[in-house]
Amino acid sequence: MQIRNNDKYLSMKHGVFEVRGAAGSGKTHQLVKDIHFLHDNGHKNIAAISYSNAAVNELSERLGNIGVTLSTIHSFCWKIIGALSRHILDYSDLFSNFHPEGLKANPGCTLSDIKTVRYGKIGIPQFNNSTGELWLSHDDVICLFIESLNSIPCFSRIISNSFEYILIDEYQDTNGVFLNTLFEKLSNSLTIGLYGDPFQTIYLNKQTLDVILARKKYGVKTFYMPNNYRSQYNLVCLYNRSREYYDELVQQPQHAAESEPHVFVHNGGITQEIVSLINKKMDFKDSVVLSVTNGLRMSASGFGEIARKVKNWIPKTSYIDWIAVLDEDRLSPYVSALIEYSNILFGSDYDTICALFNLFTKSSIQNVGMNSIAELLDKEKETQTVIANNYEDLGLQFIDEIRNKQSMFDSFNFRELQKVNELYASLDDINHHSMTIFASKGLEFNDVILNIDYGWFKKRNWNKINFNHQENDETEIESDIMLYLFYVGITRAKHGLAIFINEKAHPNFKDKLKNKFPELTKYEAI
């Protein structure tokens, strides 16, 4: 059913409705419009849940001063249970599925030992044996909310008395058990609105499958958003073909055709040189390369090998993920120290001085003197060798945080340290022009290069893609998620789209692409 009058679903007294909008359809605009409609018609008790703080902030800016409860799923759960947490603990003997992470590090402690419950923005779980104070993780908050809704008789009534509508943005990325519990416990007493697109379910797992099944069980009524306001005509035609068998949603493009999508095929992975060549051939001015892994996106920027070495260089006892290597605001302390070490030789004069004082004690720097340090640095640049012991032999003393770990720096030779310095000096620009498909969700770019490759993560195998998947088919996670990732990747483009295929890793993908999209006629070996 195409959306014409939103009062068709907003007039529901209870139950569940879905507003399904494909990429570029204006789902957030529709959600804001619906909240205004409800508010203007006397409905004040509205909760809107979105999947990230950034999305919540965007909604808040668009809504202005309307009195709506806006929050992420974690914040929503805590708003309900926070004030009641002490009373909720009285029912803890009924919470068979609540196993807070803070108790796992305290053998012998049980739910009965908890006296108070806390939750912070960071979500670090811990338990204080002496005070009985439990700090919840983000997952704990959702789990405790679900257990309370399932086990405490009056809990659903408390929520239904507080809200007439619970509207959930990007519902396909929301915790599946949470949604199922809302459907089961609250759909008879209030209205639940789902805004999103199951064809963009890029975090496909057992929980999201539960949501799909629950939608059928509870007779969710679906309303389709028919337009695409983002992309030019030829691209929207491609997007429609991508989901032609999946559901009834066909978008009407609102912009004229500007360019033809191209496919580039190479017997190997993408490189910085290939990206430059594609940009030149497509006349892209500010393209973004989208890949399935961080390792691949760094390769597209020319820093794949050194980025992997930095990640793998961290001690096994301090395992980190890619965020701690590539997010400037969340770098691992080990990575920060390595950056400073590279700045000694390859940073600006100011960077070198700062790095020296960040790595060595002030007194040892004063005793040695800057002239002696400069002579050592000149020698290392001349010989293109750098050894941590050389600094200590000169009389410099590493600060306490690094002492006994400085030998780790010797894992990087002169050229590698130079590459480390180049990586982090240009990291902001790299992150702007090369990202994962997961990180790109919800964003849009003028020109996109979709990188068809699995890199080191072979479960993300593009050969398994099923372009003819239908919504009601039995789910095959490994093949379905590749289709959803493909769709999310191509639909980020507003004007220009290039699809790069690593034919060596994915020998079958090109044939599947040709069979599915006969209108894609521009193929080029590169």
Side-chain angles (χ1 to χ4, degrees), residues 105-123:
N106 293 270
C109 292
T110 66
L111 295 180
S112 61
D113 296 313
I114 303 172
K115 306 302 180 187
T116 56
V117 179
R118 306 280 188 235
Y119 174 61
K121 290 183 178 180
I122 300 177

Side-chain angles (χ1 to χ4, degrees), residues 428-444:
D428 185 63
D429 185 64
I430 292 170
N431 289 339
H432 177 73
H433 287 97
S434 184
M435 61 181 65
T436 64
I437 300 174
F438 299 93
S440 75
K441 193 165 184 296
L443 303 177
E444 58 184 42

Side-chain angles (χ1 to χ4, degrees), residues 86 132 264 269 298 382 449:
R86 182 63 194 89
F264 295 91
M298 297 309 293
E382 181 182 349
I449 301 173

